[in-house]
Amino acid sequence: MYRMILLTQWKWTRGIVLIATILGFALPLASVQAASEMARPADFVASMQRFGVWYAMLAAGVGLMVALTAWAHDQRGRHVYALTLPVSRARYVMLRLTAGASFLVPPTIAVLLGALFVSFFAAIPGGLTTYPLALTLRFLFAACVAYALFFAIGSATQKTAGIILGAGAALLLTQYLFA
């Protein structure tokens, strides 16, 4: 059963995963390319820090897209397919959750390979140390958190998902306005 769900979700998410994988490999390269023009190590670090937001956005984006794609066909069919299966709803949700989470691995490996490539071959100022594994683990954690959050929201009805997302957006806007 897991294999069939995995193959079905692969058909739905392969484009998203491919784009995220390419971006995951290119992001460390782009960040060091932009920072290579800096003369002082402090400027190099500041330039690299500006790319930290892009890692978070990529992780959140891939988590969001994979999670919502996992439930898109069930939403369209009003969850009738899930109710006709010979497994419990809880087991079906766990199968969907783990199948979708496995698609977070290729972009994460791409971030690791890109970071390792930069660590070994890029011109990094003396005295600075690279941490490609720490960067990759943070990326994976951010992608998993985003995936779990949006998976839970995506499993609800569209009205409930809209209310939850609207309340979250209102909370973030309120926090931004009062900060």
Side-chain angles (χ1 to χ4, degrees), residues 11-176:
K11 287 195 305 190
W12 300 335
T13 61
R14 63 183 170 213
I16 296 164
V17 172
L18 176 65
I19 291 169
T21 303
I22 292 169
L23 289 174
F25 183 78
L27 195 54
L29 300 174
S31 63
V32 83
Q33 179 68 26
S36 66
E37 301 164 355
M38 304 300 164
R40 297 181 330 151
D43 295 336
F44 185 88
V45 171
S47 178
M48 293 292 286
Q49 284 177 339
R50 284 192 287 272
F51 276 85
V53 173
W54 293 103
Y55 288 101
M57 288 178 60
L58 179 62
V62 73
L64 167 73
M65 295 305 293
V66 170
L68 294 184
T69 305
W71 288 110
H73 290 280
D74 281 332
Q75 290 284 354
R76 236 177 275 137
R78 299 198 180 269
H79 299 279
V80 171
Y81 173 73
L83 296 172
T84 62
L85 292 174
V87 296
S88 68
R89 176 79 171 154
R91 179 158 167 74
Y92 178 70
V93 169
M94 285 304 294
L95 290 171
R96 279 246 187 250
L97 179 73
T98 55
S102 65
F103 297 124
L104 300 177
V105 173
T108 303
I109 291 173
V111 168
L112 176 64
L113 292 176
L116 286 172
F117 184 82
V118 164
S119 295
F120 291 130
F121 298 114
I124 298 172
L128 296 180
T129 306
T130 61
Y131 298 99
L133 188 58
L135 174 70
T136 305
L137 290 176
R138 288 179 179 158
F139 178 83
L140 178 62
F141 181 71
C144 287
V145 167
Y147 175 73
L149 177 69
F150 290 115
F151 185 86
I153 292 171
S155 68
T157 63
Q158 289 181 348
K159 182 178 179 181
T160 305
I163 291 170
I164 292 170
L165 290 175
L171 180 68
L172 289 174
L173 180 64
T174 304
Q175 180 184 2
Y176 175 75

